[in-house]
C-alpha cells in the first residue's frame, strides 16, 4: 500500500488516511489528528486501555511513511533510559589509551570523551534527529505510568523540541516530530504538560462502529457471529467490572471464536473463552452462571 509523504490537507483527507490503514475513527478524532499535524502540536490521547490510542501513532507512521519511535513509560523511567546516557566503558578505554600515549591535555580529553561518538541516544533524543524521510512519529505511551519527575522533564522536549545535555550542549530538532502522548488515566497528568498538547478523550466505540471494526480486522467472521460478539461486549461494558474489555479485547475474542469455528455464541463457548475479554479473575468469576447465560441470551436474541 502506498504511503503519503506529507500530512493530509483536510479533516476528510485525515479520516480517509486513517480508514485506508484500517483505523475506523470518529470524525472528532480525525479532526484533532488533522489539527495536531497542521499546527505541529503534540497530541494527548486519554482513555481506557485497549480503545486504540497507541494504534493512532502506528497508523500515522505507516500512512505517512515516517519512522515510529516508541517510548514505553513505566514507574522509575529516567533520563538515561528515555533520553540519553554516556557510554562510560568506551569513555574509560579512551582515557586509558590517552594516558598510555602520554596525552595529558585534560581539556582536550574531556572534549573528546564527551562527544557524539560516546553518546547513546535513547528514544526522545532519536526523535530529534534529522531524517531524510521526514520527522518521525514519537509515541510516548502510557505516560501516566511514569513518575511526575519524568513528566516534568518532558516539558522542555514538548515545548521547544530540544534536549539539553550538560557536557555536550543543546540538541534541537530541525523539524518537530509528530508526537502522540497516551494515558490510561491511572493518575492525572499535570496541566503544564497538557497545555502543550491538543487533547482528545478516546472512548469506547458505538456498537455500529465496533461492528465495522470487527468486520474490517477479523477476516472471515460471519455476519451473525460478529453481531453477537459486539452485542455481548457492549452489554459487558455496562457491568461493574474492574476492567471492561476494550476494542483490542473484542478483536482478540472475535479472532479466537473464529479459530474455534464458532457459528454463534453459546454459554459454553463464551465461558471457555472469557479470558480473551476479561483479564481479572474476580471479573471472570462474577460473569458465571445466570449472569453469563442472561447476557448470551440477550446477545443472541437480538441477532
Amino acid at each position: 500500500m502506498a504511503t503519503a509523504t506529507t500530512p493530509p490537507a483536510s479533516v476528510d483527507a485525515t479520516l480517509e488516511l486513517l480508514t485506508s490503514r484500517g483505523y475506523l475513527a470518529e470524525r472528532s478524532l480525525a479532526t484533532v489528528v488533522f489539527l495536531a499535524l497542521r499546527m505541529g502540536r503534540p497530541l494527548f490521547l486519554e482513555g481506557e486501555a485497549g480503545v486504540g490510542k497507541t494504534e493512532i501513532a502506528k497508523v500515522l507512521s505507516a500512512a505517512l511513511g515516517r519512522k515510529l519511535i516508541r517510548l514505553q513509560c513505566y514507574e522509575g523511567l529516567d533520563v538515561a533510559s528515555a533520553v540519553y546516557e554516556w557510554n562510560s566503558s568506551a569513555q574509560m578505554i579512551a582515557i586509558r589509551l590517552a594516558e598510555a600515549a602520554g596525552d595529558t591535555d585534560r581539556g582536550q580529553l574531556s572534549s573528546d570523551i564527551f562527544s557524539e561518538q560516546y553518546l547513546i541516544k535513547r528514544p526522545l533524543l532519536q526523535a530529534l534527529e534529522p531524517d531524510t524521510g521526514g520527522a518521525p512519529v514519537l509515541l510516548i505511551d502510557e505516560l501516566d505510568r511514569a513518575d511526575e519527575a519524568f513528566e516534568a522533564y518532558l516539558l522542555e522536549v514538548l515545548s521547544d523540541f530540544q534536549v539539553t545535555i550538560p557536557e555536550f550542549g543543546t540538541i534541537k530538532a530541525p523539524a518537530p516530530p509528530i508526537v502522540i502522548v497516551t494515558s490510561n488515566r491511572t493518575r492525572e497528568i499535570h496541566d503544564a504538560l497538557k497545555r502543550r498538547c491538543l487533547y482528545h478523550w478516546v472512548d469506547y466505540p458505538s456498537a455500529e462502529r465496533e461492528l465495522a471494526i470487527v468486520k474490517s480486522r477479523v477476516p472471515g467472521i460471519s455476519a451473525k457471529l460478529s453481531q453477537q460478539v459486539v452485542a455481548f461486549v457492549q452489554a459487558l461494558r455496562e457491568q461493574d467490572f474492574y476492567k471492561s474489555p476494550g476494542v483490542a479485547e473484542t478483536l482478540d475474542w472475535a479472532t479466537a471464536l473464529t479459530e474455534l469455528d464458532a457459528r454463534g455464541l453459546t454459554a459454553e463457548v463464551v465461558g471457555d473463552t472469557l479470558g480473551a475479554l476479561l483479564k481479572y479473575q474476580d471479573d471472570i468469576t462474577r460473569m458465571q452462571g445466570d449472569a453469563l447465560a442472561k447476557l448470551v441470551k440477550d446477545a443472541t436474541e437480538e441477532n
Side-chain angles (χ1 to χ4, degrees):
M1 185 179 293
T3 56
T5 55
T6 57
S10 67
V11 174
D12 287 336
T14 304
L15 199 56
E16 186 178 323
L17 183 76
L18 297 174
T19 302
S20 71
R21 292 285 167 170
Y23 194 101
L24 306 183
E26 299 276 357
R27 187 174 181 84
S28 58
L29 175 56
T31 299
V32 76
V33 169
F34 165 72
L35 290 174
L37 293 173
R38 193 65 175 242
M39 298 166 64
R41 296 282 295 280
L43 176 56
F44 187 92
L45 299 175
E46 200 165 38
E48 299 293 336
V51 293
K53 304 184 298 297
T54 299
E55 194 67 17
I56 283 286
K58 295 179 180 179
V59 167
L60 286 177
S61 169
L64 297 175
R66 307 293 182 89
K67 182 192 301 182
L68 176 64
I69 299 174
R70 179 174 182 170
L71 174 63
Q72 179 61 54
C73 298
Y74 55 86
E75 186 177 353
L77 179 66
D78 58 9
V79 172
S81 300
V83 191
Y84 76 95
E85 64 178 323
W86 292 106
N87 188 338
S88 56
S89 58
Q91 287 175 320
M92 187 59 66
I93 292 172
I95 291 171
R96 296 286 185 243
L97 290 174
E99 290 175 344
D103 186 352
T104 58
D105 187 338
R106 292 182 176 273
Q108 184 60 47
L109 181 58
S110 177
S111 176
D112 289 343
I113 64 171
F114 287 112
S115 63
E116 190 170 1
Q117 177 183 352
Y118 300 100
L119 187 62
I120 301 175
K121 300 174 182 178
R122 301 302 186 195
L124 290 183
L125 191 53
Q126 292 171 17
L128 302 182
E129 293 186 304
D131 193 305
T132 55
V137 175
L138 171 62
L139 169 61
I140 303 174
D141 211 12
E142 299 183 323
L143 179 59
D144 53 318
R145 295 183 179 274
D147 301 324
E148 291 187 15
F150 178 75
E151 182 186 329
Y153 180 85
L154 279 179
L155 295 178
E156 179 187 15
V157 179
L158 298 185
S159 294
D160 304 314
F161 296 106
Q162 66 180 32
V163 165
T164 301
I165 302 174
E167 306 90 343
F168 187 79
T170 298
I171 298 175
K172 187 175 179 64
I178 299 169
V179 182
I180 307 293
V181 183
T182 76
S183 168
N184 295 335
R185 208 176 187 181
T186 57
R187 70 172 179 84
E188 288 292 338
I189 301 300
H190 199 278
D191 288 346
L193 190 138
K194 283 187 174 182
R195 283 199 302 272
R196 287 157 173 78
C197 308
L198 297 183
Y199 175 87
H200 188 79
W201 174 266
V202 183
D203 209 345
Y204 293 118
S206 64
E208 180 182 9
R209 189 168 298 276
E210 190 159 27
L211 181 59
I213 292 170
V214 169
K215 289 179 177 179
S216 171
R217 301 295 290 271
V218 186
I221 191 169
S222 69
K224 175 184 174 182
L225 181 58
S226 61
Q227 289 169 350
Q228 291 182 355
V229 163
V230 170
F232 184 86
V233 172
Q234 291 274 329
L236 207 59
R237 291 190 186 124
E238 296 178 3
Q239 310 299 310
D240 186 21
F241 288 133
Y242 181 77
K243 171 64 179 72
S244 293
V247 179
E249 284 76 26
T250 302
L251 294 174
D252 282 346
W253 191 44
T255 302
L257 293 171
T258 303
E259 292 293 332
L260 292 172
D261 293 323
R263 304 294 181 184
L265 297 187
T266 64
E268 182 180 8
V269 75
V270 172
D272 289 344
T273 58
L274 209 51
L277 281 176
L278 302 175
K279 303 306 169 95
Y280 290 89
Q281 182 57 37
D282 288 349
D283 290 344
I284 292 175
T285 300
R286 285 186 55 209
M287 191 45 55
Q288 300 292 339
D290 292 343
L292 177 61
K294 182 180 185 306
L295 283 187
V296 171
K297 182 173 181 290
D298 291 344
T300 53
E301 282 184 348
E302 293 173 6
N303 304 281

